[in-house]
Amino acid sequence: INISVFPPSNACIGRYILNMQITSCGHTYQRCLGDFYVLFNPWCADDPVYMDNQAHREEYVLNEHGILYEGVHKHITSRPWHFGQFEDGILDICLKILDMGASYHHGSDRDHCWRNDPVHVSMVVNHMISSHITNSIMKIPENNDYLKGTKPFSWNGSIPILQQWYNGRCRPVRYGYCGSLASVMCTVMRCLGIPSRVVTSFCFPCSIENPLGVNEIFDCTGRNLCGKDKIWRYHCWNESWMARRDLNQCCGDWQCLDPTPLETGRGSACSGPTWVRSIREGELDLDYDGHHMFSRVNSNYVGWLSQNNAKKVKFFCDTWPCGKHLITKSVGSEKFEDITGSYKYELGSVKNKEAYYRAYRRIHPGYCNASNCHIDRELSSLKNPFLSDSGVNMRLKMTNCPMYGEDVQLHWLLENLRSENKTLKFNLCAQIITYSGCPMDQFWKDSVNVTLGPREVKKIPLCISYSQYGPYLCDHNIMKVVAVSDPECGEVLMVSRDIVINRPPVIVKLLSQPRLKVPCTAEISFCNPLQEDMKNCVMTLEGCGLFKEPMTIDLGTLASNQQARTIVEFTPYRLGSHRLLANFGCHKF
């Protein structure tokens, strides 16, 4: 007997048991024929996650390989990630996540009816990734302390994280960061049949007091002080495709889901699902947490100089909006796609202003009946004055793209916009910054007297040697260079630049053509670029369909300019597109 099962489009996702009742000679008994799984189906036009573009379905549902974008908005870096949603056992782990998180919205899981709604499923998954409950999947380290777990940036894919959580009796895996949290969520959502992708935004503010403004405080040397507000150099979250029946949508669209708990005025919380289009339009009463996402891609920046911890003065600086770039991996390509236009209209356009006024009135109830002019005056009083208002233009321009072991070379460009001389004293400094905006060690300081003639343009070379920054650089690889004028000279001027130090490359070379269930070899090589030994060197290898578990190779100590080569053998155990990832770690990074 051939049996075909056609679940309705509103069937609850999960594991089902198929029984057959047999009546013969007056006797009735049941036989279990087996079990099967029902998932959301983006190929089915009646399903709320239906996606009508085949290339998009292949990218956002079937593709097991992704790219995470990191760095700063002027220097975007990337690294590959294994989603691995089709690996053995991952579907059962994903359903376990729904079981563990069922009480989040529904008190108990005796009624499974919510499992046919991708909105509620996505909320449960979002909550389970890294909330404060005891069974969340990952923890974020406090104060950058990794001693009791794995470094957040050492993960190559979602599979070891999900397996460790499942095999560890559903205790949180230590540790993750926004990129790994969003990627694990993308794996779970794709595994359940919901099209999903990871999005990265640069200059992402976390403001406690003012939702639409973020403050950075510096001292007279240019050192960034640790205040309540933070500007994340980048932040990753998840987008999932679904029709919002709760908003009377008949067609699918992208919904924003952020599994990283972020500080708000009411405590720490995840956000979403939020209709991306509602963020762009400023329609913040339509969605869960829409005001949080709007604020974080539209906030204004204010820089302050703190004098003797008592008086604060606003800088003259180049002001910029937050949410500089929003990008995701392109369909069928390793390049990124800029999706900033999905979240906000072009800065300064009529539609951008209309959306901002609309959102401002919802975020600040006291302005619900205020005129546009009233809101504009309020915003003008909060913003930084422009450098051009003081008669000076400044910027820091990179002359090289530094790698570990190389000096950082910059040009400091100054232009006098007035017809009279200007004499200024500047303090310069460099400081380590984490990706989440936490200022760390200030390792370099200098002071310069600058005289600019009428309309003069001056270029001043700056160099920060590896011996100066090397002992302080952590796995975030980001430093901040600041030049700030002495307050005694009159106006307080500031220019800053975030700089990413590139990691040395790990080279993977296949020595034979991969074939199913046939041993294959690859050569992994890495060269120590530093003028010192690298200690405790470890190579971690991972590949969906290639290794059942990540492989760790201990390389010991690498002398300066020493080349490390290792040959690994693996046997592809399933068909598909495979990628071998190699991650190098040592006491330096």
Side-chain angles (χ1 to χ4, degrees), residues 203-207 211 213-214 230-232 295-299 322-323:
C203 300
F204 188 85
C206 291
S207 177
V214 60
K230 298 287 186 298
I231 299 178
W232 292 30
S295 299
R296 284 164 177 155
V297 297
N298 288 283
S299 285
C322 296

Side-chain angles (χ1 to χ4, degrees), residues 494-514:
M494 185 192 76
V495 64
S496 65
R497 175 85 186 226
D498 290 339
I499 298 170
V500 176
I501 307 298
N502 291 315
R503 294 173 181 268
V506 178
I507 300 172
V508 179
K509 181 181 178 182
L510 288 176
L511 302 181
S512 58
Q513 185 66 31

Side-chain angles (χ1 to χ4, degrees), residues 434-483:
T434 68
Y435 85 98
S436 57
C438 294
M440 299 180 74
D441 298 303
Q442 183 187 42
F443 59 85
W444 175 76
K445 290 193 295 184
D446 200 357
S447 60
V448 179
N449 291 311
V450 179
T451 300
L452 294 171
R455 307 290 179 182
E456 182 182 2
V457 177
K458 189 167 283 187
K459 182 190 292 185
I460 300 175
L462 301 176
C463 178
I464 303 172
S465 67
Y466 171 74
S467 62
Q468 291 173 309
Y469 74 78
Y472 301 94
L473 202 62
C474 55
D475 10 336
H476 306 280
N477 299 1
I478 302 173
M479 70 172 73
K480 187 180 189 68
V481 178
V482 175

Side-chain angles (χ1 to χ4, degrees), residues 189-215:
M189 299 295 274
R190 288 186 183 183
C191 184
L192 298 176
I194 303 175
S196 297
R197 63 187 183 184
V198 177
V199 172
T200 301
S201 173
F202 296 91
C203 300
F204 188 85
C206 291
S207 177
I208 303 299
E209 296 176 349
N210 181 6
L212 286 170
V214 60
N215 299 292

